[in-house]
Amino acid sequence: MRKIILIFISVILNSGLLYGGQTEIKGLVRDGLSHKPLQGVNIVIKEGNKGSATDDKGYFTLHLSPAAYTLVVSHIGYRTRYIRVDLQGESQQLQIDLQPAVIERQQAITVYGAQNDPLDKNRDKWLNSTDDMMRRFEGVTLMRRANFALEPSIRGLSYGQISTTIDGMKIFHACVDRMDPATSYVEVENLDRLEVSKGAYDLSQSSVGGSLNFVTRDPQSLPGWSSESETGFESASALRRLRGELSWRGRHQALRVSMSLKKADSYYAGDHTLIARSGYSKQNAAVKYMISLNDRSRLTLNYIGDFARDIGYPALLMDATRTIAHIGSIKYEWNPALRWFPKFNTRIYYNQIRHWMDDYGRDVRQREVMADMYMPMYGVATTYGAIVAATFLPGRDSFLKLTLDYYRLNSFADMKMLSIFPDISPAYIVNIADARLDNLALIADYNTGLGPRWRLRGNLRLDYARRDIYDEFGKNALRAFWQSPASAVRGLLPSGSLSLEWRANERHVLNWSLAAAQRMPSHMENYSFFIYNLLDGYFYTGNPGLKPESSLQTDLGWKYRGRSLAADFALFFNHLNNYIAGRWQSAEFKIYENFSGADLYGLEWNGAYSRGAYTLAGSLSHIRGYNRALGEPLPYIPPLAVSLSLSYTGKQWWLQFRWLHNAAQKEVAYKSTREDTTPAFSRLDLRGRYRLNGQWELKAGVENLLDSYYHEHLSINNLPSPGRNIYLGINYGWPRNP
Amino acid sequence: MYMKFIISLFAAAILLAGCDNTADSNDALDPIADLTMINEAYISGTLIKVYADKQAEVGYNRYYVTLSDSLSGKSIDRARVVFKPMMDMGTMKHAAPVENPQGMQSEEGLFRGAVTYIMAGMWSMSVEFDDENGRVGSCNFMADVAATQNVKKVTGSDSLSYFITLVEPMTPRVGMNDFSICVNYKQNMMSFPEVTDVEVEIEPTMPSMGHGSPNNENPQHSGGAHYKGKVNFTMSGDWQVAVTLKRNGNILAQTAFDITL
Ligand SMILES: [Cu+2]
């Protein structure tokens, strides 16, 4: 099994390998505990395109011109090692012992250990923001409410139906209008990778639609210092940004500090259309400190602070004046040094998100709803939790990860309504009446090889949820909307998934997955009060009587990895039962209710063809959603999206020309919402990077080259996307890693 | 008079002491504990006391009457009690809708009734009784009625004058509230009979915001002039509850109450 994977990886690697009058490095790679040779270990030269893999006796050979190199030695189930070698014309012999490491779930769901997978979305080439990163995943679509912190949707599902975490930590929004998705707290310089699970096949998080996990960067892996800083400008919003990071690793400790400053004015949509009040300013800082307690254990302290001010939300009724996020965790990792038990870790975490918004900057007299009123709102969400995980290797080709995941969310939000006329009394409501949610989950993730071609993965998850509200004022207001006065909710939710993978040969992999998953309603769906929904113009009320939303879904995937062509194809179907949506209650109010069923189905394709320095890549995604209870399409289903790009990767230059097209979306929830159809649009982007020397690098590009005026279907209130955006960035790194 | 009062209190104390163990429970449920005595009078051996639960105001005012033998202090539990409010406006006099205590029997020693003052100002009140001992008399006092917006006088589609009185909520809070009104019509200056046969519809709104609330329950007739339902105030602020009276599906009268919370 593993052999096939590794052959296939080395085929990819070897396609770029060059030979010529060069020095040889020979090496043996062994298991650090058993000292048995490891076959198929991936060896990559960090400075350049070369790589190799170990043979069945654990040996590898590389031919290199004399210079200093860093070898990146990686293998599934082992901690990656970085080895510095200085070649002075003589051949070198190396013996490398790899220590068993955590088997990250990301590796289990994507291609095994394939760090140089041409379709790996986490391979950096250009990234101006974390939003850019999310956009790379076909099937992930971003909901736009502003020019700030877009909210992801996976295969037509969003918010409570999917899970968004940072390093596995739950982070809830404080804004009742969802202005503050957790995606905004990991700035791009702090983003190591984004783990996306489309569908509920990875049950490390509770969802019926999939999950996004933002993995933050660790300090550098080599001893010593490094730093990187970048300053940039984007023309559409006159965005000025500055970011920097400093990384250090000593013998037993390591530290990484990064920060980002951004300030944007109102942006221009296409045809030079100014979108008034859409600017923002944002500061973000991240610190990660690691200390080895002994040979086998280490402690990691992590903090992210995110502070934003004066964020314009042109799509909404209000603007955010201030947001403050403090996100902290302590992680303890222990390697019991047993062949069958390589990893145990515990993370405890705490985060607090606070959010202030108001409409003091708006012309409230012209407003369709709540005219002549200012409505300052405040919200806070505090979450703390603990994740305890143990990884076992019960067999040579299998692993089992057991996780205990607990969190507690406390959330409160309120709103004042101040009339512009002095004789009208101020009004007050509590939007979230001090909701307290406890969630305890037990998760088992088992992954095993079944013979040389088959691989099986099974996930089981059991959630115990308990929640209630504690603010009496808000509770009384809510009770008037409910059938029964009870506000407490309890639930026990089992979920399970099964994936079967078949490697037909070294190029073709077929994957079939099936999941039956459930999710608790979000705290908004259970307890929110008087939340205006722009999509249908109703005030929404939470309902503690909701049943969990459940899903039965299946996914058929095909991966092809040829010498120069790579492609992924997926077909999926998702049937949701007890689908949660608003049900008409009176002329202005809707209450969350369960609907009998909704179906989503679609396909995704994504591929790349490389020839020399050129890569032609493309993607396609299409999805349909249907609410069977209401007999209409589901709202906010992204239309057919196609992209095509041509990239050139040279020694100093990297250039990309990309065409993006969205078909018109005519399937809208016309009965229950005011969702309207969206016309098709096309967009052209041109990007480039140029490396001046070892330290300096320039980035530049033009997004929406033709300055098209368009909005995406998932744009709230049809807020247009930015027009022509010329960006420029200067990056300085020391020491520069080529 | 003061002495007599003291004596009767003593008498009452002795009596209460006499019925030992029941005394405690009576004490705990003292029905007049939260009430204010408005006036008292001795008429041919009967002591009449009139209590109220608030300062007189335009709207629905509950009155509580106790009768006792002025010598023995013994409570009189069977009597007919009648309220007669009267406003003398110089050129003319008029009465107000009343709810006289029902039947002859007191409840927990109290004869309960109510007067709906339909106008602010000085009213003369006469509480007349005709008790089981054959004694007849009245207790008279002046009520200084404060102005409120709780009584709406509306001319109905049948050209009669209707008085729609807000009874509840008097202390509204955010959430679901009991909502009740009394409906009377003016037969003549002295008679305001109960209206028992109308359908009542309510609709609360916040005029400043242009929205209302769901789950309100239209008041249903609950005896006498009373109609009881539920109103949902979703937030604090200025509310207006529109009230529509219908008879056989046709609108009879409409009004609205302003309620701020
Ligand atoms: Cu907000």
Side-chain angles (χ1 to χ4, degrees), chain A residues 425 427-429 476 480-481 588-589, chain B residues 173 212 214-215 232 235-236 238:
Chain A
S425 316
Y428 176 76
I429 52 172
N476 280 334
F481 283 70
E588 297 112 354
F589 293 92
Chain B
R173 54 172 208 169
N215 293 358
N232 179 5
M235 60 178 74
S236 66
D238 296 331

Side-chain angles (χ1 to χ4, degrees), chain A residues 175-180 313 316 318-320 355-357:
Chain A
C175 173
V176 292
D177 292 332
R178 287 154 65 183
M179 288 175 175
D180 54 350
Y313 279 81
L316 304 184
M318 297 192 197
D319 302 307
H355 182 91
W356 290 263
M357 59 179 170

Side-chain angles (χ1 to χ4, degrees), chain A residues 575-633:
Chain A
H575 172 71
L576 294 174
N577 213 6
N578 290 325
Y579 178 76
I580 297 172
R583 177 163 278 158
W584 193 90
Q585 196 172 25
S586 74
E588 297 112 354
F589 293 92
K590 280 192 181 178
I591 188 161
Y592 285 106
E593 283 290 352
N594 295 108
F595 286 80
S596 57
D599 291 326
L600 294 121
Y601 54 91
L603 57 90
E604 284 142 14
W605 169 82
N606 138 56
Y609 174 77
S610 300
R611 186 154 195 145
Y614 295 92
T615 303
L616 185 67
S619 73
L620 182 148
S621 65
H622 185 49
I623 181 167
R624 296 291 283 270
Y626 197 73
N627 185 335
R628 294 211 296 213
L630 297 179
E632 63 170 0

Side-chain angles (χ1 to χ4, degrees), chain A residues 128-129 159 186 286 409 456 515 648 684-685 694 732:
Chain A
N128 288 332
S129 66
Y159 187 56
V186 180
L409 162 70
L456 178 79
Y648 166 81
L684 294 174
D685 297 335
Y732 176 81

Side-chain angles (χ1 to χ4, degrees), chain A residues 274-313:
Chain A
L274 180 68
I275 306 301
R277 275 185 318 275
S278 60
Y280 64 86
S281 75
K282 184 176 192 278
Q283 292 109 46
N284 182 286
V287 182
K288 197 181 261 190
Y289 171 72
M290 288 177 167
I291 179 163
S292 297
L293 303 175
N294 52 49
D295 280 359
R296 299 224 152 91
S297 59
R298 119 183 132 168
L299 211 57
T300 305
L301 290 100
N302 198 356
Y303 167 80
I304 300 173
D306 192 275
F307 314 94
R309 271 178 192 279
D310 303 323
I311 315 161
Y313 279 81

Side-chain angles (χ1 to χ4, degrees), chain B residues 193-250:
Chain B
E194 299 156 346
V195 176
T196 60
D197 63 338
V198 291
E199 301 107 57
V200 181
E201 288 173 10
I202 57 166
E203 194 192 353
T205 54
M206 294 192 88
S208 59
M209 297 189 200
H211 68 73
S213 66
N215 293 358
N216 298 287
E217 288 172 20
N218 283 329
Q220 303 291 323
H221 185 242
S222 65
H226 289 270
Y227 293 81
K228 286 190 179 194
K230 299 246 185 225
V231 64
N232 179 5
F233 295 128
T234 57
M235 60 178 74
S236 66
D238 296 331
W239 285 85
Q240 191 174 70
V241 183
V243 176
T244 305
L245 304 186
K246 288 184 173 175
R247 191 173 272 145
N248 304 320
N250 302 314

Side-chain angles (χ1 to χ4, degrees), chain A residues 24 41 110 215 253 360 404 468 487 511 516 587 734:
Chain A
E24 189 184 72
V41 176
T110 56
V215 180
Q253 297 169 74
Y360 293 134
L404 198 70
D468 204 349
S487 59
N511 191 301
W734 175 87

